[in-house]
């Protein structure tokens, strides 16, 4: 991924890795990015804070806890065990059940290559070799937990889909296995959407390998395998991820390079959760610009900390992206209220004009209702009003 035209030259990879290790803490093991985190990162590409922390491998859950704003993220142990059990059932007998769900009536002998290798680079190379061999074999091949690589903001990210199936015609299909139920042929729309965004990241990474493999074609539809109704019997649905793939690719291309963000930080910034005090960590976090939105609450461990800071600053981002877009140059709630009262703001600004018009209509409605001074009685205004 190239830097933006107006950016300076990129730092050497060794320098970037050393810089990120210093920010994370020399003794702290980096937390690897996964497709779920990458999809969330692509959904908010303007947030330099998340890009840097994820790129440096900082455990944001531990960081949020030390900052006093822990986030309720993570699966229960029961859900993890149930998910692993269901995945093992789907892949049993060399993946024959999985291939049947995909549509292979007579898969014949299914090839399940060994993808073990030393380190992520070795596993990535072994996966690429297995994909090339499978494409030329003319048979069905199941790659169980292959490892793919994708460059994000100048830093490599290793991704591990549940499975990739290679068809006899050379087609590659990503398989996502989830433990949420598919009832009467449909599943929860929010969960399916999250799975589609996650699978789209795998498709992008798989396309990098396919570009160097003769005869390979990556399907833009993935196979989502879930329990049928309330049983443990697997069923499958084909999910078109072309839209999610296009959006994710565009958003990832917009991400500022991590080395540029890190190089712009002042001396003394550190996210070493093992050595730094909560006050030092808070000061370091505030040194990195963020872009909070309510959607972050479902996707980022630091969202509660960023929300509290945004509320303290009176930022309109706390009201949502659509509201923020409508308000133009009015960036704080105080500025919005002042503009509505006519105390500041350009009357020619459409946002200012709309606010003043809305205030005028509100006052007129209250006057018509016989409320003196345009002041609503207690209990009829505010967030609790229905």
């Amino acid at each position: 991924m190239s830097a933006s035209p107006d950016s300076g030259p990129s730092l050497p990879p060794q320098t970037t890795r050393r810089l990120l290790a210093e920010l994370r803490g020399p003794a702290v093991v980096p937390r690897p990015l996964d497709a779920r985190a990458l999809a969330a990162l692509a959904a908010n590409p303007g947030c330099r804070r998340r890009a840097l922390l994820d790129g440096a491998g900082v455990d944001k859950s531990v960081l949020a806890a030390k900052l006093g704003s822990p986030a309720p993220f993570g699966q229960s142990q029961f859900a993890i065990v149930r998910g692993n059990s269901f995945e093992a059932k789907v892949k049993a007998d060399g993946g024959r059940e999985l291939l049947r769900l995909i549509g292979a009536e007579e898969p014949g002998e299914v090839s399940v290559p060994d993808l073990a290798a030393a380190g992520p680079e070795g596993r990535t190379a072994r996966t690429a070799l297995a994909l090339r061999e499978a494409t030329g074999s003319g048979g069905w091949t199941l790659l169980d937990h292959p490892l793919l690589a994708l460059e994000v903001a100048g830093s490599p990210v290793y991704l591990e889909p549940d499975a990739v199936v290679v068809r006899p015609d050379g087609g590659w299909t990503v398989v996502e296995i989830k433990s949420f139920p598919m009832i009467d042929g449909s599943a929860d729309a929010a969960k399916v959407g999250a799975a589609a965004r996650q699978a789209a990241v795998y498709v992008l990474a798989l396309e990098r390998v396919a570009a160097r493999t003769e005869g390979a074609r990556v399907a833009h539809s993935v196979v989502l395998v879930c329990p049928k109704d309330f049983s443990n019997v697997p069923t499958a649905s084909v999910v078109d991820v072309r839209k999610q793939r296009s959006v994710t690719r565009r958003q990832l291309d917009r991400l500022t390079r991590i080395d540029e963000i890190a190089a712009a930080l002042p001396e003394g910034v550190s996210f070493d959760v093992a050595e730094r005090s909560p006050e030092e960590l808070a000061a370091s976090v505030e040194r990195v610009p963020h872009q909070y939105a309510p959607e972050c609450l479902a996707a980022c461990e630091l969202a509660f900390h960023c929300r509290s800071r945004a509320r303290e600053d009176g930022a309109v981002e706390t009201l949502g992206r659509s509201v923020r877009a409508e308000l133009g140059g009015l960036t704080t709630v105080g500025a919005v209220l002042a503009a509505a009262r006519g105390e500041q703001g350009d009357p020619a600004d459409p946002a200012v004009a709309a606010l003043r018009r809305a205030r005028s209509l509100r006052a007129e409605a209250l006057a018509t209702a016989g409320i003196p001074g345009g002041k609503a009685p207690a209990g009829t205004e505010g967030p609790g009003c229905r």
Side-chain angles (χ1 to χ4, degrees):
M1 186 180 300
S2 60
S4 57
D6 57 346
S7 62
S10 302
L11 296 176
Q14 298 85 350
T15 304
T16 300
R17 284 194 291 268
R18 176 178 56 79
L19 186 58
L20 294 178
E22 291 175 355
L23 289 172
R24 180 181 64 248
V28 179
V29 178
R31 182 182 179 88
L33 270 175
D34 57 17
R36 184 175 301 168
L38 200 55
L41 180 61
N44 191 8
C47 186
R48 294 191 169 202
R49 181 177 295 173
R50 171 153 195 169
L52 179 64
L53 294 175
D54 281 348
V58 176
D59 190 328
K60 297 195 300 298
S61 295
V62 177
L63 178 60
K66 292 203 70 171
L67 292 175
S69 302
F73 276 82
Q75 286 182 301
S76 67
Q77 191 62 35
F78 173 78
I80 293 174
V81 171
R82 183 174 184 272
N84 291 339
S85 174
F86 179 69
E87 181 176 338
K89 179 180 179 64
V90 172
K91 295 178 179 178
D93 193 20
R96 290 182 179 275
E97 177 68 11
L98 176 56
L99 293 177
R100 182 191 65 78
L101 292 172
I102 288 179
E105 296 181 1
E106 294 292 337
E109 185 177 350
V110 182
S111 175
V112 184
D114 182 9
L115 303 179
E121 293 87 356
R123 287 188 59 198
T124 302
R126 182 68 188 90
T127 295
L129 177 61
L131 284 167
R132 286 194 291 271
E133 292 175 345
T135 303
S137 69
W140 289 94
T141 302
L142 172 65
L143 276 69
D144 187 5
H145 285 286
L147 196 66
L148 308 170
L150 190 64
E151 188 176 338
V152 180
S155 180
V157 175
Y158 297 100
L159 308 167
E160 188 175 347
D162 292 329
V164 172
V165 172
V166 180
R167 298 172 179 271
D169 61 359
W172 299 356
T173 302
V174 172
V175 178
E176 269 294 284
I177 302 174
K178 298 295 185 182
S179 59
F180 57 80
M182 193 174 294
I183 301 173
D184 292 334
S186 62
D188 181 88
K191 293 180 178 179
V192 172
R197 289 189 294 272
Q198 183 178 343
V201 177
Y202 297 139
V203 170
L204 286 174
L206 204 57
E207 286 177 339
R208 295 186 62 193
V209 185
R212 302 188 298 270
T213 304
E214 184 178 355
R217 294 177 294 99
V218 180
H220 290 166
S221 294
V222 303
V223 176
L224 178 62
V225 181
C226 300
K228 183 179 181 180
D229 297 327
F230 299 100
S231 69
N232 203 37
V233 177
T235 186
S237 176
V238 176
V239 180
D240 191 332
V241 297
R242 284 178 295 182
K243 179 181 178 181
Q244 290 85 350
R245 170 189 167 276
S246 298
V247 171
T248 301
R249 183 177 63 178
R250 182 171 64 252
Q251 299 292 59
L252 290 179
D253 287 343
R254 290 176 54 196
L255 283 174
T256 305
R257 293 185 61 94
I258 295 173
D259 55 4
E260 295 176 16
I261 303 174
L265 295 177
E267 289 288 336
V269 171
S270 173
F271 308 105
D272 190 341
V273 294
E275 298 294 335
R276 298 294 176 125
S277 67
E279 293 75 19
E280 290 173 321
L281 290 171
S284 294
V285 167
E286 293 308 311
R287 292 283 190 173
V288 188
H290 72 104
Q291 188 166 326
Y292 171 78
E295 293 84 353
C296 296
L297 295 173
C300 181
E301 297 87 339
L302 273 182
F304 289 90
H305 173 80
C306 296
R307 182 181 66 175
S308 65
R309 292 296 183 270
R311 285 176 172 176
E312 289 174 5
D313 296 338
V316 295
E317 283 82 1
T318 59
L319 305 176
R321 288 194 175 112
S322 59
V323 176
R324 174 68 187 90
E326 292 290 340
L327 292 174
L330 303 173
T331 59
T332 66
V333 175
V336 171
L337 296 176
R341 291 191 296 262
E343 298 170 358
Q344 66 180 56
D346 183 1
D349 186 334
V352 174
L355 288 169
R356 293 180 182 177
R357 176 61 176 163
R359 185 171 187 271
S360 174
L361 291 174
R362 176 181 180 276
E364 181 180 336
L366 292 175
T368 302
I371 300 173
K375 185 175 182 180
T380 60
E381 284 190 328
C385 181
R386 285 181 169 84

